[in-house]
Amino acid sequence: MKIAIIGAGVIGLSTGIELLNKGYNVTIYARELAGITSDVAAAIWMPFKIEPQEQAIKWALQSLPLFKKINLEAPQAGVQFKPHTNLCTTATEKPAWVEYLEPLPNPDYVLDKYKTHSYTIKTAVIDPIKYMPYLRQLYLAKGGIIQQKEISDIHALVKNHNLVVNCTGLNARTLVNDITLYPIRGHVIRCEKIPGFDASIVREDDELTHIITRTEDCLLGGVVQKDNWNMQPDKNTRDAIIARAHEIYPFAKQFKIIQEMIGLRPGRSPVRLELERIDDAHVIIHNYGHGGAGYTVSWGCAQEVARLTAEFLNNLK
């Protein structure tokens, strides 16, 4: 059984590993292996900007045990479980997924105006700088093949493979002419770690603000700009992100900037995770449009791809 995957982001690699675990021969084709959206993601376990939420939570909960396993067995992968505080100034209904995570008391650094309505949980924080190389190495160690090659005609690829999995994120807009896909621009700032702070905090009001401590740095953000294709950082946004970070955590004397990064989240409602039959012996499984939750749902979506693959093969018999 020859399977091709298009895309080597977190979705493509996780899907490849899951299919290899099921015994299939898998080749990933990708135009780029670095500098992609997965490399700049905040990557905290949180079903963010993804629809439908009910299905996303299911995929997220299927992914969570895998992140726990990686945390225990592969410290080099950069998966850590840390306190995460969601700052609220008014009574707000907690997202449904919060009930599945360990509740923690709000830390002392939460400002008075947030203390009444905020909540703290322990969740997974994934560091793409470590996690993406870990996934690539794991995929290759299991016998997967990666070819750095741009695929512009998905149906030509289907002719040489029984099954093709489309994990191209926002690029599916042109690859399969999906005009329902749209960019959700993000702008984040890598900084040196903040002394005495080893957690994450987020405030979602008019603008998204977060401070996320990772293995070797700290990530400030962010922006959620629908239909913005601009890949260049701008000073006004950078200054605004830093100012808002000081608002929610004024105890940092300064944020020592390492790097600014821009990423375009693949927005779509709903996520496209479905089988498209080309003929009796060839299919495409689409797995894209995960918004800001690609890491969060990666393993759950990979398991769904494996299920659809097995279903297709059973129908061939």
Side-chain angles (χ1 to χ4, degrees), residues 188-199:
V188 292
I189 304 170
R190 283 184 62 218
C191 297
E192 293 181 9
K193 278 190 172 184
I194 304 168
F197 180 78
D198 190 22

Side-chain angles (χ1 to χ4, degrees), residues 35-43 128 132 186-188 214 219 231 259-264 295:
I36 57 179
T37 300
S38 293
D39 293 336
V40 304
M132 289 299 291
H187 183 156
V188 292
R214 308 192 300 184
L219 202 68
M231 288 295 293
Q259 180 185 14
E260 286 184 80
M261 302 182 293
I262 304 295
L264 302 180
Y295 280 82

Side-chain angles (χ1 to χ4, degrees), residues 61-88:
L61 291 174
Q62 291 171 332
S63 302
L64 194 57
L66 274 296
F67 287 122
K68 290 179 178 178
K69 185 173 186 289
I70 293 168
N71 167 255
L72 292 173
E73 298 179 0
Q76 75 278 14
V79 177
Q80 299 176 313
F81 280 77
K82 296 175 180 285
H84 169 79
T85 302
N86 194 300
L87 300 176
C88 307

Side-chain angles (χ1 to χ4, degrees), residues 87 108-115 247-251:
L87 300 176
D108 293 339
Y109 53 74
V110 173
L111 301 178
D112 288 343
K113 64 180 178 179
Y114 299 120
K115 282 185 177 177
E247 287 177 12
I248 65 173
Y249 192 79
F251 312 103

Side-chain angles (χ1 to χ4, degrees), residues 263-282:
L264 302 180
R265 309 172 183 96
R268 192 183 192 274
S269 185
V271 170
R272 190 178 187 191
L273 182 40
E274 62 183 4
L275 185 146
E276 176 189 356
R277 187 172 294 278
I278 306 303
D279 56 39
D280 289 343
H282 299 86

Side-chain angles (χ1 to χ4, degrees), residues 14-28:
S14 302
T15 300
I17 291 166
E18 182 68 20
L19 292 172
L20 288 168
N21 287 340
K22 300 297 184 183
Y24 303 118
N25 295 318
V26 183
T27 300
I28 288 178

